[in-house]
Amino acid sequence: MIALAVETSCDETALALYSQERGVIGDVLLSQAKIHQEFGGVVPELSAREHTKNLLPLLDLLLKQTKFDLRKIDFVAFTLTPGLILSLTVGVSFAKSLSYALKKPLVPVHHLEGHIYSVFVERPIPYPFLALIVSGGHTDLYLVEEFGKYVFLGGTLDDAVGESYDKVARLMGFGYPGGPIIDRLAKVGKPAYHLPRPMLEDKSLNMSFSGLKTAIRRIVESGDYSKEDLACSFQRAVLDVLEAKLLKAVQLTKVKRVVVVGGVSANSELRERFSKLSGIEVFIPHPKLSTDNAIMIAYAGIERFKRGITAPEDINPEPNTPLETFGRVWS
Ligand code: KG4
Ligand code: ZN
């Protein structure tokens, strides 16, 4: 079974050909980071235009690289939600056109489901497991009972962790995306600044990161600070909160298998620290699969297609459907 997957939910235009039996046949990805850099974040209209401009040339490149005959795919998988609505619309329309021309079914995928299953591209993981999703738009904890059965346990009440990285980098005068920049700086810094660990003692599995950003703004505005030390202190605070909430989720659910996914799971300190947690098994995807890509969408698409899930022709992108209610509108 072979999927062509389309991912355009944010600022990465990505396509992948993926075989259930053989794994990745090929994948192409064009990051728009340079275009959004000067704005300190993704500009939705620019993102949609770039997707429109680049999807067909990327498909050409994918087919040239793989020498694959597109007529041999079984279906077209695509990200339906969540994401920037204009960007999603471009990808959904592209997927629909391909599906129509090739006479192949359309399989909608939830972007966060894609992130969760990014780990499965490298190895299957037995159910149940916990998923800590840390991306630019989301910071959520889920219990995954089986494919398609997600129980929301808690999440951020304000900024997502990736968003927080991006905002802190911008405060320090850096461009977008901030995560990799802070990651690099933190490696040579010391945790010299005392920053809050919001909601650490709170009994729930909810989190909050906006206070951390405010504390950093004050330090930056004082004018005299070390960027390396501030990056290191910020990262330490974020990871302390994420680790505490993850361990609390393990304690509450008694589930000791965990996947940590989404763009922030590419972070080097997170990877080192979380993989050393004792008493639990932690799975983190390869950094290439942590950040947005179409391989994870293809993988989740195959799991959906195997279960007979396809989309009607008039399906529309949805800006922010929760993972646990995905599919209720159109299936
Ligand atoms: O999952 P993703 O690629 O896109 C969304 O679904 O949002 O995540 C993007 C986020 C950005 O906020 C980016 O700054 C962050 O992931 N990120 C990182 C690292 N690489 C990307 N954050 C911390 N450390 C990194 N190495
Ligand atoms: Zn993502």
Side-chain angles (χ1 to χ4, degrees), residues 12 111 115 135-137 162-163 165-166 177-180 183 262-264 266-267 290-292:
E12 255 96 28
H111 183 76
H115 274 305
S135 72
E163 185 184 358
Y165 266 95
D166 296 337
D183 190 349
V264 181
N267 183 268
S290 290
T291 47
D292 286 352

Side-chain angles (χ1 to χ4, degrees), residues 267-307:
N267 183 268
S268 50
E269 191 179 341
L270 178 150
R271 301 177 78 86
E272 203 192 322
R273 182 164 159 180
F274 281 37
S275 55
K276 280 191 201 141
L277 289 175
S278 63
I280 59 174
E281 264 184 296
V282 180
F283 301 89
I284 306 175
H286 185 281
K288 180 183 156 178
L289 292 166
S290 290
T291 47
D292 286 352
N293 64 86
I295 297 171
M296 67 185 196
I297 302 302
Y299 189 98
I302 285 183
E303 291 304 311
R304 291 204 155 256
F305 190 62
K306 281 198 305 202
R307 290 162 177 81

Side-chain angles (χ1 to χ4, degrees), residues 34 64 109 148 191 201 207-208 227 252 290 313:
K34 281 216 173 80
K64 268 199 197 101
V109 172
E201 303 305 328
M207 298 162 248
S208 161
K227 288 190 172 169
L252 288 173
S290 290
E313 275 183 353

Side-chain angles (χ1 to χ4, degrees), residues 72-204:
K72 289 195 186 140
I73 62 165
D74 292 284
F75 63 92
V76 182
F78 63 99
T79 304
L80 184 74
T81 187
L84 301 170
I85 193 70
L86 286 176
S87 302
L88 287 168
T89 303
V90 176
V92 173
S93 304
F94 185 72
K96 281 189 183 191
S97 309
L98 286 176
S99 139
Y100 187 79
L102 297 165
K103 298 188 177 56
K104 304 288 179 181
L106 275 172
V107 177
V109 172
H110 194 288
H111 183 76
L112 299 186
E113 183 172 70
H115 274 305
I116 292 174
Y117 284 87
S118 61
V119 175
F120 281 61
V121 172
E122 292 166 296
R123 60 185 107 55
I125 291 161
Y127 295 98
F129 60 85
L130 297 176
L132 172 62
I133 305 171
V134 277
S135 72
H138 290 82
T139 299
D140 294 320
L141 267 164
Y142 278 95
L143 167 65
V144 182
E145 293 176 334
E146 58 183 75
F147 183 84
K149 277 205 167 169
Y150 311 107
V151 181
F152 178 73
L153 302 174
T156 182
L157 301 176
D158 39 55
D159 293 350
V161 174
E163 185 184 358
S164 188
Y165 266 95
D166 296 337
K167 285 180 177 171
V168 165
R170 190 160 59 176
L171 281 174
M172 294 205 259
F174 297 112
Y176 172 86
I181 299 168
I182 302 271
D183 190 349
R184 269 197 305 278
L185 286 175
K187 278 187 191 150
V188 288
K190 293 181 292 302
Y193 295 95
H194 292 287
L195 294 172
R197 269 72 174 151
M199 298 185 73
L200 195 69
E201 303 305 328
D202 177 80
K203 282 201 182 71
S204 80

Side-chain angles (χ1 to χ4, degrees), residues 4 6-8 12-17 27-32 50-66 94:
L4 169 72
V6 182
E7 159 61 43
T8 63
E12 255 96 28
T13 318
L15 296 171
L17 280 164
D27 81 292
V28 285
L29 184 144
L30 199 64
S31 164
Q32 303 172 2
E50 285 300 305
H51 290 312
T52 308
K53 187 170 105 190
N54 295 321
L55 273 168
L56 271 179
L58 272 181
L59 180 61
D60 265 343
L61 179 67
L62 177 67
L63 297 180
K64 268 199 197 101
Q65 279 178 357
T66 57
F94 185 72

